[in-house]
Amino acid sequence: KQWYQRRVRGDAMSYRKETSSSNIVNNCLSLLRSMFQDVPNPDDYWVTNWSRDRFSKMSYSYMGLGSMGKDYDQMAADVEEKVFFAGEATNRRFPQTVTGAYLS
């Protein structure tokens, strides 16, 4: 199966908040079809809306200027093999992404 991921930032966030998931998918499909031939309809789709999620409220980690991969490793380090951490902030390869959170 093929996968398509789109991120919405900045001014587009107000559009995202006010638009249904099906309209978001249709807009993405229109864009893809303007660039490529034979873009099929998706078998399924999942559109997140973190601005409405009572737990995340659009949050993600931020590493300051000058941060390095070892900083992510330190965020992921366990505490006395009793407390373990996961999430996108602990993944040096895919920080600030759902992929990073999933792989952690």
Short mmCIF file of all heavy atoms in Angstrom, two decimals, residues 36-91:
data_model
loop_
_atom_site.label_atom_id
_atom_site.label_comp_id
_atom_site.label_asym_id
_atom_site.label_seq_id
_atom_site.Cartn_x
_atom_site.Cartn_y
_atom_site.Cartn_z
N PHE A 36 -0.04 14.35 -10.92
CA PHE A 36 0.20 12.98 -11.37
C PHE A 36 -1.05 12.41 -12.04
O PHE A 36 -2.17 12.79 -11.72
CB PHE A 36 0.57 12.08 -10.18
CG PHE A 36 1.73 12.59 -9.37
CD1 PHE A 36 1.52 13.20 -8.14
CD2 PHE A 36 3.03 12.47 -9.84
CE1 PHE A 36 2.58 13.67 -7.39
CE2 PHE A 36 4.10 12.95 -9.08
CZ PHE A 36 3.87 13.55 -7.87
N GLN A 37 -0.81 11.47 -12.91
CA GLN A 37 -1.92 10.78 -13.56
C GLN A 37 -2.33 9.57 -12.73
O GLN A 37 -1.54 9.01 -11.98
CB GLN A 37 -1.51 10.29 -14.95
CG GLN A 37 -1.20 11.41 -15.91
CD GLN A 37 -0.77 10.88 -17.26
OE1 GLN A 37 -0.58 9.69 -17.46
NE2 GLN A 37 -0.61 11.78 -18.21
N ASP A 38 -3.57 9.17 -12.90
CA ASP A 38 -4.09 7.93 -12.30
C ASP A 38 -3.90 7.86 -10.79
O ASP A 38 -3.43 6.85 -10.26
CB ASP A 38 -3.45 6.70 -12.96
CG ASP A 38 -3.69 6.68 -14.46
OD1 ASP A 38 -4.81 7.05 -14.88
OD2 ASP A 38 -2.77 6.30 -15.21
N VAL A 39 -4.27 8.88 -10.08
CA VAL A 39 -4.22 8.85 -8.61
C VAL A 39 -5.53 8.22 -8.13
O VAL A 39 -6.61 8.77 -8.34
CB VAL A 39 -4.07 10.27 -8.02
CG1 VAL A 39 -4.15 10.23 -6.50
CG2 VAL A 39 -2.76 10.89 -8.48
N PRO A 40 -5.46 7.04 -7.51
CA PRO A 40 -6.69 6.36 -7.10
C PRO A 40 -7.29 6.99 -5.84
O PRO A 40 -6.62 7.70 -5.10
CB PRO A 40 -6.21 4.94 -6.79
CG PRO A 40 -4.79 5.13 -6.36
CD PRO A 40 -4.26 6.28 -7.17
N ASN A 41 -8.55 6.71 -5.62
CA ASN A 41 -9.18 7.09 -4.36
C ASN A 41 -8.59 6.23 -3.25
O ASN A 41 -8.29 5.06 -3.48
CB ASN A 41 -10.69 6.89 -4.42
CG ASN A 41 -11.36 7.94 -5.26
OD1 ASN A 41 -10.97 9.09 -5.29
ND2 ASN A 41 -12.41 7.54 -5.97
N PRO A 42 -8.45 6.76 -2.06
CA PRO A 42 -7.89 5.96 -0.96
C PRO A 42 -8.86 4.87 -0.51
O PRO A 42 -10.07 5.05 -0.57
CB PRO A 42 -7.66 6.99 0.14
CG PRO A 42 -8.60 8.10 -0.17
CD PRO A 42 -8.77 8.12 -1.65
N ASP A 43 -8.30 3.76 -0.06
CA ASP A 43 -9.12 2.70 0.54
C ASP A 43 -9.68 3.18 1.88
O ASP A 43 -10.77 2.81 2.27
CB ASP A 43 -8.29 1.44 0.79
CG ASP A 43 -7.82 0.80 -0.51
OD1 ASP A 43 -8.51 0.95 -1.54
OD2 ASP A 43 -6.77 0.14 -0.48
N ASP A 44 -8.91 4.01 2.55
CA ASP A 44 -9.28 4.52 3.85
C ASP A 44 -8.43 5.75 4.11
O ASP A 44 -7.43 5.99 3.42
CB ASP A 44 -9.01 3.45 4.93
CG ASP A 44 -9.74 3.74 6.23
OD1 ASP A 44 -10.51 4.71 6.30
OD2 ASP A 44 -9.51 2.99 7.19
N TYR A 45 -8.79 6.54 5.09
CA TYR A 45 -7.97 7.68 5.46
C TYR A 45 -8.17 8.00 6.93
O TYR A 45 -9.15 7.60 7.55
CB TYR A 45 -8.25 8.91 4.59
CG TYR A 45 -9.66 9.43 4.67
CD1 TYR A 45 -10.06 10.31 5.67
CD2 TYR A 45 -10.61 9.06 3.71
CE1 TYR A 45 -11.35 10.79 5.73
CE2 TYR A 45 -11.91 9.54 3.77
CZ TYR A 45 -12.27 10.41 4.78
OH TYR A 45 -13.55 10.88 4.84
N TRP A 46 -7.18 8.69 7.47
CA TRP A 46 -7.23 9.12 8.86
C TRP A 46 -6.65 10.52 8.90
O TRP A 46 -5.50 10.75 8.53
CB TRP A 46 -6.41 8.16 9.72
CG TRP A 46 -6.34 8.50 11.17
CD1 TRP A 46 -7.32 9.03 11.96
CD2 TRP A 46 -5.22 8.34 12.03
NE1 TRP A 46 -6.89 9.19 13.24
CE2 TRP A 46 -5.59 8.77 13.32
CE3 TRP A 46 -3.94 7.85 11.83
CZ2 TRP A 46 -4.73 8.74 14.39
CZ3 TRP A 46 -3.09 7.82 12.91
CH2 TRP A 46 -3.48 8.26 14.18
N VAL A 47 -7.45 11.45 9.32
CA VAL A 47 -7.03 12.85 9.40
C VAL A 47 -7.04 13.25 10.87
O VAL A 47 -8.08 13.16 11.53
CB VAL A 47 -7.97 13.76 8.59
CG1 VAL A 47 -7.55 15.21 8.70
CG2 VAL A 47 -8.02 13.32 7.12
N THR A 48 -5.90 13.64 11.38
CA THR A 48 -5.83 14.06 12.77
C THR A 48 -6.16 15.53 12.90
O THR A 48 -6.02 16.30 11.94
CB THR A 48 -4.44 13.80 13.37
OG1 THR A 48 -3.48 14.55 12.63
CG2 THR A 48 -4.09 12.33 13.33
N ASN A 49 -6.57 15.92 14.07
CA ASN A 49 -6.83 17.33 14.35
C ASN A 49 -6.34 17.60 15.77
O ASN A 49 -7.11 17.64 16.71
CB ASN A 49 -8.32 17.65 14.21
CG ASN A 49 -8.57 19.14 14.23
OD1 ASN A 49 -7.74 19.92 14.68
ND2 ASN A 49 -9.72 19.54 13.73
N TRP A 50 -5.04 17.78 15.89
CA TRP A 50 -4.43 17.93 17.20
C TRP A 50 -4.91 19.16 17.94
O TRP A 50 -4.88 19.20 19.16
CB TRP A 50 -2.92 17.95 17.08
CG TRP A 50 -2.32 16.62 16.77
CD1 TRP A 50 -2.98 15.48 16.38
CD2 TRP A 50 -0.96 16.25 16.83
NE1 TRP A 50 -2.11 14.46 16.20
CE2 TRP A 50 -0.85 14.90 16.46
CE3 TRP A 50 0.19 16.94 17.15
CZ2 TRP A 50 0.36 14.24 16.41
CZ3 TRP A 50 1.40 16.28 17.11
CH2 TRP A 50 1.47 14.94 16.74
N SER A 51 -5.36 20.17 17.21
CA SER A 51 -5.82 21.38 17.90
C SER A 51 -7.08 21.10 18.71
O SER A 51 -7.41 21.85 19.63
CB SER A 51 -6.09 22.50 16.90
OG SER A 51 -7.16 22.16 16.05
N ARG A 52 -7.78 20.02 18.39
CA ARG A 52 -8.99 19.65 19.13
C ARG A 52 -8.74 18.51 20.11
O ARG A 52 -9.64 18.12 20.85
CB ARG A 52 -10.09 19.24 18.17
CG ARG A 52 -10.60 20.40 17.35
CD ARG A 52 -11.75 19.97 16.50
NE ARG A 52 -12.18 21.09 15.66
CZ ARG A 52 -12.91 20.96 14.59
NH1 ARG A 52 -13.32 19.78 14.22
NH2 ARG A 52 -13.25 22.00 13.88
N ASP A 53 -7.55 17.97 20.12
CA ASP A 53 -7.22 16.86 21.00
C ASP A 53 -6.96 17.40 22.40
O ASP A 53 -6.04 18.19 22.61
CB ASP A 53 -5.98 16.13 20.47
CG ASP A 53 -5.62 14.91 21.28
OD1 ASP A 53 -5.63 14.97 22.53
OD2 ASP A 53 -5.31 13.88 20.66
N ARG A 54 -7.75 16.98 23.37
CA ARG A 54 -7.63 17.54 24.71
C ARG A 54 -6.32 17.18 25.40
O ARG A 54 -5.95 17.80 26.40
CB ARG A 54 -8.81 17.13 25.58
CG ARG A 54 -8.88 15.66 25.89
CD ARG A 54 -10.17 15.33 26.63
NE ARG A 54 -10.19 13.95 27.02
CZ ARG A 54 -10.39 13.54 28.26
NH1 ARG A 54 -10.61 14.41 29.21
NH2 ARG A 54 -10.38 12.26 28.53
N PHE A 55 -5.61 16.18 24.89
CA PHE A 55 -4.36 15.78 25.51
C PHE A 55 -3.14 16.46 24.88
O PHE A 55 -2.18 16.78 25.58
CB PHE A 55 -4.19 14.27 25.46
CG PHE A 55 -5.24 13.54 26.23
CD1 PHE A 55 -6.22 12.81 25.58
CD2 PHE A 55 -5.29 13.61 27.61
CE1 PHE A 55 -7.21 12.15 26.29
CE2 PHE A 55 -6.28 12.97 28.34
CZ PHE A 55 -7.23 12.23 27.67
N SER A 56 -3.13 16.66 23.59
CA SER A 56 -1.93 17.21 22.95
C SER A 56 -1.97 18.72 22.77
O SER A 56 -0.96 19.39 22.93
CB SER A 56 -1.70 16.55 21.59
OG SER A 56 -2.68 16.97 20.67
N LYS A 57 -3.10 19.24 22.40
CA LYS A 57 -3.22 20.69 22.14
C LYS A 57 -2.11 21.20 21.23
O LYS A 57 -1.49 22.22 21.46
CB LYS A 57 -3.24 21.48 23.45
CG LYS A 57 -4.45 21.21 24.28
CD LYS A 57 -5.70 21.68 23.59
CE LYS A 57 -6.91 21.49 24.48
NZ LYS A 57 -8.13 21.58 23.75
N MET A 58 -1.82 20.43 20.19
CA MET A 58 -0.83 20.81 19.17
C MET A 58 0.60 20.78 19.70
O MET A 58 1.48 21.45 19.18
CB MET A 58 -1.13 22.20 18.61
CG MET A 58 -2.47 22.35 17.98
SD MET A 58 -2.54 21.81 16.29
CE MET A 58 -1.25 22.70 15.53
N SER A 59 0.88 20.02 20.70
CA SER A 59 2.21 20.03 21.29
C SER A 59 3.15 19.06 20.59
O SER A 59 2.73 18.05 20.03
CB SER A 59 2.12 19.67 22.77
OG SER A 59 1.65 18.36 22.92
N TYR A 60 4.41 19.40 20.60
CA TYR A 60 5.47 18.52 20.16
C TYR A 60 6.77 19.03 20.78
O TYR A 60 6.83 20.15 21.27
CB TYR A 60 5.57 18.43 18.63
CG TYR A 60 5.83 19.75 17.94
CD1 TYR A 60 7.13 20.19 17.71
CD2 TYR A 60 4.79 20.55 17.52
CE1 TYR A 60 7.38 21.38 17.08
CE2 TYR A 60 5.03 21.76 16.88
CZ TYR A 60 6.32 22.16 16.66
OH TYR A 60 6.56 23.35 16.04
N SER A 61 7.79 18.21 20.73
CA SER A 61 9.04 18.59 21.38
C SER A 61 9.78 19.64 20.55
O SER A 61 9.54 19.81 19.36
CB SER A 61 9.93 17.37 21.55
OG SER A 61 10.31 16.87 20.28
N TYR A 62 10.65 20.33 21.22
CA TYR A 62 11.49 21.33 20.56
C TYR A 62 12.88 21.24 21.16
O TYR A 62 13.04 21.36 22.38
CB TYR A 62 10.93 22.73 20.75
CG TYR A 62 11.88 23.79 20.27
CD1 TYR A 62 12.00 24.06 18.91
CD2 TYR A 62 12.68 24.49 21.16
CE1 TYR A 62 12.88 25.01 18.46
CE2 TYR A 62 13.57 25.45 20.71
CZ TYR A 62 13.67 25.71 19.36
OH TYR A 62 14.55 26.65 18.90
N MET A 63 13.85 21.00 20.31
CA MET A 63 15.23 21.00 20.75
C MET A 63 15.86 22.30 20.28
O MET A 63 15.70 22.71 19.13
CB MET A 63 15.98 19.81 20.15
CG MET A 63 15.42 18.46 20.58
SD MET A 63 15.54 18.19 22.33
CE MET A 63 16.88 17.04 22.38
N GLY A 64 16.55 22.96 21.15
CA GLY A 64 17.12 24.26 20.86
C GLY A 64 18.22 24.22 19.81
O GLY A 64 18.77 23.17 19.48
N LEU A 65 18.54 25.40 19.31
CA LEU A 65 19.61 25.55 18.34
C LEU A 65 20.90 24.97 18.91
O LEU A 65 21.24 25.21 20.07
CB LEU A 65 19.80 27.04 18.02
CG LEU A 65 20.76 27.39 16.91
CD1 LEU A 65 20.28 26.81 15.59
CD2 LEU A 65 20.89 28.90 16.80
N GLY A 66 21.58 24.17 18.11
CA GLY A 66 22.81 23.55 18.57
C GLY A 66 22.63 22.17 19.18
O GLY A 66 23.60 21.52 19.55
N SER A 67 21.38 21.72 19.28
CA SER A 67 21.13 20.38 19.82
C SER A 67 21.71 19.34 18.87
O SER A 67 21.82 19.57 17.66
CB SER A 67 19.64 20.15 19.99
OG SER A 67 19.10 21.04 20.92
N MET A 68 22.02 18.18 19.42
CA MET A 68 22.62 17.11 18.62
C MET A 68 21.87 15.80 18.88
O MET A 68 21.06 15.72 19.81
CB MET A 68 24.10 16.99 18.96
CG MET A 68 24.86 18.30 18.76
SD MET A 68 26.59 18.12 19.12
CE MET A 68 27.14 17.34 17.62
N GLY A 69 22.19 14.80 18.09
CA GLY A 69 21.55 13.50 18.24
C GLY A 69 21.66 12.93 19.64
O GLY A 69 20.73 12.30 20.13
N LYS A 70 22.79 13.17 20.29
CA LYS A 70 22.97 12.63 21.65
C LYS A 70 21.95 13.21 22.62
O LYS A 70 21.60 12.58 23.61
CB LYS A 70 24.39 12.89 22.15
CG LYS A 70 24.71 14.35 22.36
CD LYS A 70 26.11 14.56 22.86
CE LYS A 70 26.33 16.06 23.04
NZ LYS A 70 27.60 16.35 23.63
N ASP A 71 21.43 14.40 22.32
CA ASP A 71 20.41 15.00 23.18
C ASP A 71 19.12 14.19 23.14
O ASP A 71 18.45 14.02 24.17
CB ASP A 71 20.15 16.45 22.79
CG ASP A 71 21.39 17.31 22.95
OD1 ASP A 71 22.10 17.13 23.96
OD2 ASP A 71 21.65 18.15 22.07
N TYR A 72 18.77 13.68 21.98
CA TYR A 72 17.60 12.80 21.87
C TYR A 72 17.84 11.50 22.62
O TYR A 72 16.93 10.98 23.27
CB TYR A 72 17.27 12.51 20.40
CG TYR A 72 16.76 13.71 19.66
CD1 TYR A 72 17.59 14.47 18.87
CD2 TYR A 72 15.41 14.10 19.77
CE1 TYR A 72 17.11 15.59 18.19
CE2 TYR A 72 14.94 15.21 19.11
CZ TYR A 72 15.79 15.95 18.32
OH TYR A 72 15.31 17.05 17.66
N ASP A 73 19.07 11.00 22.53
CA ASP A 73 19.40 9.77 23.25
C ASP A 73 19.27 9.97 24.76
O ASP A 73 18.80 9.08 25.48
CB ASP A 73 20.83 9.32 22.91
CG ASP A 73 20.99 8.97 21.44
OD1 ASP A 73 19.97 8.70 20.77
OD2 ASP A 73 22.13 8.97 20.96
N GLN A 74 19.66 11.14 25.23
CA GLN A 74 19.53 11.42 26.66
C GLN A 74 18.07 11.50 27.07
O GLN A 74 17.69 11.06 28.16
CB GLN A 74 20.25 12.72 27.02
CG GLN A 74 21.75 12.58 26.97
CD GLN A 74 22.48 13.89 27.21
OE1 GLN A 74 21.95 14.97 26.97
NE2 GLN A 74 23.71 13.79 27.68
N MET A 75 17.22 12.06 26.19
CA MET A 75 15.78 12.12 26.49
C MET A 75 15.19 10.71 26.56
O MET A 75 14.24 10.47 27.30
CB MET A 75 15.05 12.91 25.40
CG MET A 75 15.39 14.37 25.36
SD MET A 75 14.57 15.30 26.64
CE MET A 75 12.91 15.31 26.04
N ALA A 76 15.76 9.78 25.80
CA ALA A 76 15.24 8.41 25.74
C ALA A 76 15.82 7.51 26.82
O ALA A 76 15.34 6.39 27.01
CB ALA A 76 15.54 7.81 24.37
N ALA A 77 16.85 7.96 27.51
CA ALA A 77 17.52 7.12 28.49
C ALA A 77 16.59 6.76 29.66
O ALA A 77 15.84 7.60 30.15
CB ALA A 77 18.76 7.83 29.02
N ASP A 78 16.66 5.51 30.07
CA ASP A 78 15.84 5.08 31.21
C ASP A 78 16.43 5.61 32.51
O ASP A 78 17.56 6.07 32.56
CB ASP A 78 15.74 3.55 31.24
CG ASP A 78 17.09 2.91 31.51
OD1 ASP A 78 17.49 2.84 32.69
OD2 ASP A 78 17.74 2.48 30.53
N VAL A 79 15.63 5.54 33.55
CA VAL A 79 16.07 5.93 34.89
C VAL A 79 16.12 4.66 35.73
O VAL A 79 15.09 4.06 36.05
CB VAL A 79 15.10 6.95 35.53
CG1 VAL A 79 15.54 7.29 36.95
CG2 VAL A 79 15.01 8.21 34.67
N GLU A 80 17.33 4.21 35.99
CA GLU A 80 17.58 3.03 36.81
C GLU A 80 16.79 1.81 36.35
O GLU A 80 16.34 1.00 37.16
CB GLU A 80 17.29 3.34 38.28
CG GLU A 80 18.19 4.43 38.83
CD GLU A 80 17.87 4.77 40.28
OE1 GLU A 80 17.04 4.09 40.92
OE2 GLU A 80 18.47 5.75 40.77
N GLU A 81 16.61 1.69 35.05
CA GLU A 81 15.87 0.57 34.44
C GLU A 81 14.48 0.39 35.06
O GLU A 81 13.92 -0.70 35.06
CB GLU A 81 16.68 -0.72 34.52
CG GLU A 81 17.95 -0.65 33.70
CD GLU A 81 18.68 -1.99 33.63
OE1 GLU A 81 18.11 -3.02 34.03
OE2 GLU A 81 19.82 -1.99 33.17
N LYS A 82 13.90 1.49 35.57
CA LYS A 82 12.57 1.44 36.17
C LYS A 82 11.60 2.39 35.50
O LYS A 82 10.40 2.12 35.44
CB LYS A 82 12.64 1.76 37.66
CG LYS A 82 13.40 0.72 38.46
CD LYS A 82 13.45 1.08 39.92
CE LYS A 82 14.26 0.02 40.66
NZ LYS A 82 14.43 0.34 42.05
N VAL A 83 12.10 3.50 35.02
CA VAL A 83 11.27 4.48 34.33
C VAL A 83 11.78 4.59 32.90
O VAL A 83 12.97 4.81 32.68
CB VAL A 83 11.32 5.86 35.02
CG1 VAL A 83 10.46 6.87 34.28
CG2 VAL A 83 10.90 5.75 36.47
N PHE A 84 10.87 4.43 31.93
CA PHE A 84 11.25 4.44 30.52
C PHE A 84 10.48 5.53 29.79
O PHE A 84 9.32 5.81 30.13
CB PHE A 84 10.98 3.07 29.89
CG PHE A 84 11.76 1.97 30.54
CD1 PHE A 84 11.23 1.28 31.62
CD2 PHE A 84 13.02 1.63 30.09
CE1 PHE A 84 11.95 0.27 32.24
CE2 PHE A 84 13.75 0.63 30.70
CZ PHE A 84 13.22 -0.05 31.78
N PHE A 85 11.10 6.11 28.80
CA PHE A 85 10.50 7.21 28.06
C PHE A 85 10.31 6.83 26.60
O PHE A 85 11.11 6.10 26.03
CB PHE A 85 11.37 8.46 28.15
CG PHE A 85 11.54 8.94 29.56
CD1 PHE A 85 12.63 8.53 30.33
CD2 PHE A 85 10.60 9.78 30.13
CE1 PHE A 85 12.79 8.95 31.63
CE2 PHE A 85 10.74 10.21 31.44
CZ PHE A 85 11.83 9.80 32.19
N ALA A 86 9.23 7.32 26.01
CA ALA A 86 8.95 7.10 24.59
C ALA A 86 8.32 8.38 24.05
O ALA A 86 7.95 9.28 24.80
CB ALA A 86 8.01 5.92 24.42
N GLY A 87 8.20 8.44 22.75
CA GLY A 87 7.58 9.59 22.11
C GLY A 87 8.52 10.20 21.10
O GLY A 87 9.70 9.87 21.02
N GLU A 88 7.98 11.12 20.31
CA GLU A 88 8.77 11.69 19.23
C GLU A 88 10.00 12.44 19.74
O GLU A 88 10.99 12.55 19.02
CB GLU A 88 7.89 12.58 18.35
CG GLU A 88 6.99 13.56 19.08
CD GLU A 88 7.69 14.80 19.53
OE1 GLU A 88 8.68 15.20 18.91
OE2 GLU A 88 7.26 15.38 20.53
N ALA A 89 9.97 12.91 20.96
CA ALA A 89 11.12 13.63 21.52
C ALA A 89 12.30 12.71 21.82
O ALA A 89 13.40 13.18 22.09
CB ALA A 89 10.71 14.36 22.79
N THR A 90 12.08 11.41 21.78
CA THR A 90 13.14 10.45 22.07
C THR A 90 13.71 9.79 20.81
O THR A 90 14.55 8.91 20.91
CB THR A 90 12.62 9.34 23.01
OG1 THR A 90 11.63 8.58 22.32
CG2 THR A 90 12.05 9.92 24.28
N ASN A 91 13.27 10.24 19.65
CA ASN A 91 13.70 9.61 18.40
C ASN A 91 14.55 10.61 17.60
O ASN A 91 14.02 11.54 17.01
CB ASN A 91 12.47 9.17 17.60
CG ASN A 91 12.84 8.32 16.41
OD1 ASN A 91 13.69 8.70 15.62
ND2 ASN A 91 12.20 7.17 16.30
#
